[in-house]
């Protein structure tokens, strides 16, 4: 049965876009901490059964990187939103995202769906929430891999 199964439509065959770190989306230099980000996204998906950042591959009306940026802004706390704006301003894609007056070009409204609040609603242990939070820091310089006791 396993041999004859078509795995191509399975949940496991995800587009890696859903796991990309902000520095990848923004076309910036990156290091090993992009793997921490992907790991944090994977843990979130395993715990909740949902993608934290999901870009609909069938929606070709918008640039997928812009959709990623909007989803980062929608799902992260104010500290991380401010960090993202700082990173965007240093990004080679800045002019694609931000107007000369400093406002977002295509993003009219932000939702406030803070991801860590979703985990807490599921009664996920605080230590696990903090662990994933360290992996999913927008700024790669503050993103850490810590050991769980």
């Amino acid at each position: 049965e396993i041999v004859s199964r078509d795995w191509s439509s399975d949940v496991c065959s995800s587009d890696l876009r859903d796991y990309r770190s902000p520095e990848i989306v923004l076309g910036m230099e990156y290091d090993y901490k992009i793997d921490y980000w992907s790991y944090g996204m994977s843990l979130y998906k395993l715990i909740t059964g949902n993608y934290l950042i999901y870009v609909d591959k069938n929606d070709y009306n918008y640039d997928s990187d812009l959709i990623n940026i909007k989803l980062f802004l929608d799902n992260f706390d104010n500290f991380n939103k401010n960090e993202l704006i700082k990173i965007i301003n240093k990004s080679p894609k800045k002019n694609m995202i931000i107007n000369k007056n400093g406002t977002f070009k295509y993003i009219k409204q932000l939702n406030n769906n803070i991801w860590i609040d979703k985990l807490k609603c599921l009664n996920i242990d605080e230590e696990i929430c903090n662990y994933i939070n360290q992996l999913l820091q927008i700024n790669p310089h503050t993103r850490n891999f810590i050991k769980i006791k």
Side-chain angles (χ1 to χ4, degrees):
E1 167 118 12
I2 292 176
V3 175
S4 65
R5 181 163 183 215
D6 177 12
W7 292 93
S8 63
S9 63
D10 196 50
V11 174
C12 296
S13 63
S14 170
D15 186 343
L16 296 178
R17 178 171 301 283
D18 303 320
Y19 298 90
R20 293 186 319 152
S21 67
E23 55 270 34
I24 295 290
V25 172
L26 292 167
M28 301 183 73
E29 289 186 23
Y30 58 89
D31 61 17
Y32 64 92
K33 291 194 175 184
I34 63 170
D35 294 330
Y36 294 175
W37 178 273
S38 297
Y39 179 52
M41 292 297 234
S42 298
L43 288 174
Y44 182 89
K45 172 81 166 88
L46 286 169
I47 290 170
T48 65
N50 297 310
Y51 293 102
L52 175 55
I53 303 297
Y54 176 74
V55 178
D56 186 351
K57 286 89 181 151
N58 298 318
D59 188 357
Y60 296 105
N61 295 326
Y62 301 99
D63 179 87
S64 58
D65 289 339
L66 285 174
I67 295 170
N68 264 104
I69 297 301
K70 169 136 179 22
L71 292 171
F72 289 148
L73 291 166
D74 281 347
N75 288 287
F76 285 84
D77 60 20
N78 286 332
F79 174 79
N80 276 294
K81 286 177 185 170
N82 290 331
E83 289 295 307
L84 181 61
I85 291 167
K86 289 178 195 174
I87 294 170
I88 289 170
N89 281 312
K90 296 176 186 174
S91 165
K93 295 184 178 184
K94 174 185 175 183
N95 293 332
M96 180 182 87
I97 300 167
I98 297 180
N99 289 312
K100 290 180 182 177
N101 65 4
T103 60
F104 289 104
K105 285 187 174 183
Y106 303 102
I107 301 171
K108 303 297 180 204
Q109 180 180 355
L110 292 176
N111 298 316
N112 198 17
N113 301 318
I114 309 303
W115 70 267
I116 201 162
D117 293 340
K118 294 175 193 174
L119 285 183
K120 290 178 181 175
C121 286
L122 295 172
N123 294 321
I124 303 301
D125 183 79
E126 187 174 348
E127 188 174 8
I128 300 292
C129 290
N130 291 337
Y131 179 69
I132 296 172
N133 191 40
Q134 286 299 309
L135 296 169
L136 294 179
Q137 291 296 302
I138 292 286
N139 185 334
H141 300 297
T142 59
R143 197 177 302 150
N144 292 307
F145 185 82
I146 56 175
K147 292 183 181 179
I148 296 181
K149 298 176 189 175

